[in-house]
Amino acid sequence: MSLFLPTAAVDRVTDITPEMIREMGASAIILDVDNTLATHGSPVPLVGTVEWAHAMRQAGLAVVIVSNNFKDRVAPFAEKYDLPFLCVAMKPLPFAYWRAARFLGVSRSQAVAVGDQVFTDVMGANVAGVKSILLRPSDPETSVSFRVRRRLEEPIRRKIERRQAEREKTDRSGKA
């Protein structure tokens, strides 16, 4: 199960702060596109994500987009965000994560992959030796394959929620 568990989980990419990335021992962010920067298939960035990406870079973090999509889907986002990108990444295979870390000039342990899918983004990052942050999907997908994957993710997401609740409980009891 640990192959499928992220280092951290938040609702939206804009919930991630430079401090959070640094506390994870990282200095670089590897971003997905669909349900991370935009709803699935949409050409419009999610509200606040362009500004968020600029703020991450201004905070001294290196950022790259890595997507399984083709160039015609990824390049317009890279342009809007003024970010480099790798497409046709074949996640969860580790090769694009390794390339992204090399491109950003960091070790794998200094990179954090951010995405919404357990079986591509999180598993790929874990296989590649990269930390991961799992997001809640910004919009439910309607295809059968996505519905099946989301159903398979449910027990993992429940485990993540339990783990976070336990941490919060421990944090509260330690501060009391």
Side-chain angles (χ1 to χ4, degrees):
M1 181 79 99
S2 64
L3 184 62
F4 304 116
L5 291 176
T7 311
V10 298
D11 287 338
R12 294 173 302 283
V13 71
T14 54
D15 293 335
I16 300 168
T17 64
E19 295 76 27
M20 180 181 186
I21 299 298
R22 289 190 187 100
E23 285 172 9
M24 294 172 80
S27 59
I29 303 171
I30 300 170
L31 292 170
D32 188 33
V33 172
D34 286 322
N35 279 320
T36 299
L37 301 177
T39 57
H40 187 78
S42 172
V44 180
L46 291 169
V47 173
T49 58
V50 173
E51 297 81 4
W52 173 86
H54 286 265
M56 294 297 108
R57 289 185 23 226
Q58 285 181 328
L61 300 170
V63 184
V64 65
I65 294 172
V66 175
S67 174
N68 282 348
N69 280 299
F70 293 101
K71 185 177 181 179
D72 62 345
R73 168 77 174 138
V74 182
F77 278 91
E79 187 175 323
K80 288 174 187 170
Y81 289 82
D82 191 28
L83 292 173
F85 69 94
L86 299 172
C87 55
V88 193
M90 297 188 294
K91 297 182 285 184
L93 296 176
F95 311 113
Y97 292 102
W98 294 341
R99 274 185 60 205
R102 272 194 315 274
F103 175 81
L104 295 174
V106 299
S107 68
R108 291 179 266 169
S109 66
Q110 294 173 306
V112 176
V114 178
D116 69 298
Q117 292 188 57
V118 170
F119 300 113
T120 54
D121 302 311
V122 172
M123 183 177 157
N126 287 340
V127 168
V130 170
K131 295 170 181 76
S132 60
I133 299 175
L134 181 64
L135 307 176
R136 284 199 188 285
S138 59
D139 193 41
E141 303 90 348
T142 56
S143 73
V144 173
S145 68
F146 266 110
R147 288 197 318 252
V148 168
R149 279 183 270 174
R150 294 300 184 197
R151 175 71 90 195
L152 292 171
E153 286 181 353
E154 286 177 6
I156 297 164
R157 287 184 181 273
R158 281 194 301 271
K159 182 172 184 162
I160 293 164
E161 288 171 7
R162 283 192 306 270
R163 187 172 70 174
Q164 286 179 319
E166 289 170 10
R167 281 185 189 151
E168 289 172 10
K169 184 178 177 183
T170 301
D171 289 347
R172 280 193 304 271
S173 66
K175 292 178 182 174

